[in-house]
Amino acid sequence: MEGESMLGREEVMALIASQLVAYGYADVGQEVAARAELPETGESSSRLEELVTLGLRSEEQGARQSGADTRAGSESGIDLSGEGHSLAQAPQYSVWYKTKHKGAATAAAFSSDGRYIATGSADASLKLIEVDRVRSPAAGSARREDKPVIRTLYHHDAEITGL
């Protein structure tokens, strides 16, 4: 079940916002709701706290049943030490081309036929790149018609977060 979510993004964000209100952070909860584009209810609920508590109890019971100690000295049942966990090795890759967004790139996707890549940025711009025009750094063409970015779209209302 790891990596599998039973709740959608909006449901999780609503739980977070309402829990913040329940803890007395109404302004922060309303800001989270606004940024997540949730309908404003201002509702106070401790449901998130209840769900986390139930999940931690279940995890602790599962660990007891399997004989493993997942607490690593923590009374909460969450191992924050990082001990006993190995980090996955990042894959090796080569950069062949960098788009030059003014802000950080926040999204990228290939077209369904694999001919194009679209990149989106925090600067609210989109770039369309033709895959066949991407060359290795050694090729280094300076001609404009060989540049892989075939279109840049500016002036979106907000940063690009998905494609």
Side-chain angles (χ1 to χ4, degrees), residues 96-97 109-119 127-136 146-150:
W96 282 23
Y97 182 78
F110 280 91
S111 63
S112 59
D113 61 4
R115 293 178 50 208
Y116 303 98
I117 304 169
T119 60
K127 292 190 182 277
L128 184 62
I129 301 164
E130 189 172 351
V131 172
D132 287 343
R133 292 185 187 181
V134 175
R135 306 278 185 248
S136 78
D146 289 339
K147 297 293 181 190
V149 176
I150 57 175

Side-chain angles (χ1 to χ4, degrees), residues 26-41:
D27 54 338
V28 177
Q30 290 169 354
E31 181 68 21
V32 168
R35 296 235 178 177
E37 299 176 350
L38 300 173
E40 285 195 38
T41 63

Side-chain angles (χ1 to χ4, degrees), residues 83-161:
E83 295 174 11
H85 298 284
S86 62
L87 297 176
Q89 184 69 22
Q92 296 295 318
Y93 65 92
S94 298
V95 176
W96 282 23
Y97 182 78
K98 292 182 186 179
T99 60
K100 296 191 177 161
H101 285 288
K102 292 179 179 128
T106 53
F110 280 91
S111 63
S112 59
D113 61 4
R115 293 178 50 208
Y116 303 98
I117 304 169
T119 60
S121 172
D123 66 7
S125 71
L126 262 164
K127 292 190 182 277
L128 184 62
I129 301 164
E130 189 172 351
V131 172
D132 287 343
R133 292 185 187 181
V134 175
R135 306 278 185 248
S136 78
S141 172
R143 296 182 340 190
R144 180 166 176 76
E145 61 270 11
D146 289 339
K147 297 293 181 190
V149 176
I150 57 175
R151 179 82 33 118
T152 302
L153 306 168
Y154 296 103
H155 308 299
H156 290 85
D157 291 336
E159 83 176 67
I160 309 300
T161 58

Side-chain angles (χ1 to χ4, degrees), residues 2-60:
E2 190 172 317
E4 184 179 318
S5 176
M6 297 185 73
L7 297 175
R9 177 187 175 280
E10 284 186 16
E11 293 170 299
V12 172
M13 295 305 292
L15 285 169
I16 292 168
S18 62
Q19 186 69 54
L20 287 165
V21 173
Y23 282 160
Y25 298 103
D27 54 338
V28 177
Q30 290 169 354
E31 181 68 21
V32 168
R35 296 235 178 177
E37 299 176 350
L38 300 173
E40 285 195 38
T41 63
E43 185 178 312
S44 171
S45 169
S46 293
R47 181 73 178 138
L48 179 61
E49 182 178 24
E50 295 166 12
L51 290 172
V52 169
T53 301
L54 287 171
L56 291 174
R57 283 185 191 147
S58 175
E59 186 178 81
E60 192 173 272

